[in-house]
Amino acid sequence: MLTLTGPVAREQATGLGDAVFALLAGSDAGVVVCDVAGIGPPGLAAVELLARLQLAARRAGGRIRLRAPDPALRALLRLVGLPVEVEGEAEEGEPALGVEVEVEPGEAAL
């Protein structure tokens, strides 16, 4: 897990990108959880940092997942079109945890 704190500075991106790459290279998980609860007020610097971390993760064959993002940060990420997973949300195309898929009578359950 990587904990991000604010205020976000452009200079952080290189070191944190290297940290994400190292975390993914040292595990089979394929996901680095980034705790962004203390990242501070959302802005373009935070979006740029997360975009760079996502790029570093993809280069290492993985992805990042956000923990405790501020609703304003989530809205800003959606606005700029940066697809980042959020902990506790179902991934695209998968049902949320605890959701049962309805089966027609006579069909085998999956």
Side-chain angles (χ1 to χ4, degrees), residues 53-73:
L53 295 182
Q54 183 74 297
L55 180 60
R58 295 226 185 255
R59 286 181 176 159
R63 61 191 188 279
I64 64 171
R65 181 178 299 142
L66 302 183
R67 174 179 288 169
D70 183 90
L73 177 61

Side-chain angles (χ1 to χ4, degrees), residues 69-80:
D70 183 90
L73 177 61
R74 292 179 67 184
L76 188 55
L77 291 171
R78 277 192 304 272
L79 181 67
V80 299

Side-chain angles (χ1 to χ4, degrees), residues 17-52:
D18 293 342
V20 165
F21 194 87
L23 285 169
L24 285 169
S27 79
D28 293 330
V31 176
V32 173
V33 176
C34 298
D35 186 341
V36 293
I39 204 167
L44 292 180
V47 169
E48 181 180 3
L49 175 64
L50 294 173
R52 288 176 180 264

